[in-house]
Amino acid sequence: MLWLKSLHLIFVVTWFAGLFYLPRLFVYHAMDPDPGMIARFKIMEYRLLMITHIGGALAVVFGLALLWWWASRSPAYLTQGWLLFKLALVALLAAYHGYLAVIVRRFARGANRRSHLFYRWVNEIPSIFLIVIVILAVVKPF
């Protein structure tokens, strides 16, 4: 179980690294008119998105394995409020991840319609998720 937990945490960190840095790249991309830099941002965004996909997928795989391990020992584990709330937040975080992928495709096509200020706000979203999810997983308030 500790191996599963360790692997889950490693890939959660990897996933969040991408979720934190992609919107920051969008801020810079939206601000820079230089064609050479725009081409570089497109490459960076695409590559970081791929790493983020891998980190997110493996975080989910090891998280589900951990969930199965706990549920097989105590079926009541699956009914705990903190866990259900955490899983709902993870689903919303996956949707946010999908939205970032849409933005990467828009930038790749040269079809961005948003300002750098919009992306500065988008950049704050994963922080809120991280804070709440960690508190739920560690404190288990309900």
Side-chain angles (χ1 to χ4, degrees):
M1 188 275 296
L2 292 178
W3 282 103
L4 288 177
K5 188 183 285 189
S6 296
L7 290 167
H8 175 62
L9 287 173
I10 288 165
F11 290 109
V12 165
V13 170
T14 304
W15 188 22
F16 267 94
L19 297 179
F20 281 130
Y21 198 62
L22 264 172
R24 178 56 44 192
L25 285 175
F26 301 156
V27 169
Y28 301 141
H29 192 156
M31 290 175 57
D32 201 326
D34 177 51
M37 285 303 298
I38 288 172
R40 181 169 289 141
F41 283 126
K42 288 178 182 181
I43 292 167
M44 291 170 67
E45 290 159 356
Y46 175 78
R47 288 180 179 169
L48 182 56
L49 181 63
M50 293 304 107
I51 293 167
T52 307
H53 285 334
I54 293 166
L58 290 173
V60 168
V61 165
F62 288 112
L64 289 172
L66 203 53
L67 190 61
W68 172 83
W69 189 91
W70 279 108
S72 69
R73 278 140 185 86
S74 174
Y77 183 78
L78 297 176
T79 64
Q80 296 181 48
W82 71 268
L83 177 65
L84 298 174
F85 189 37
K86 177 190 171 197
L87 293 174
L89 289 176
V90 171
L92 289 172
L93 193 62
Y96 171 79
H97 179 154
Y99 179 61
L100 295 183
V102 168
I103 295 170
V104 167
R105 286 193 295 276
R106 283 185 189 153
F107 272 115
R109 290 192 321 264
N112 175 49
R113 301 179 315 262
R114 306 283 188 171
S115 75
H116 67 95
L117 295 174
F118 174 79
Y119 296 116
R120 287 182 192 278
W121 283 103
V122 169
N123 191 47
E124 300 307 320
I125 293 170
S127 299
I128 296 164
F129 278 95
L130 180 64
I131 290 166
V132 177
I133 289 170
V134 167
I135 289 170
L136 288 169
V138 174
V139 178
K140 298 174 178 52
F142 51 92

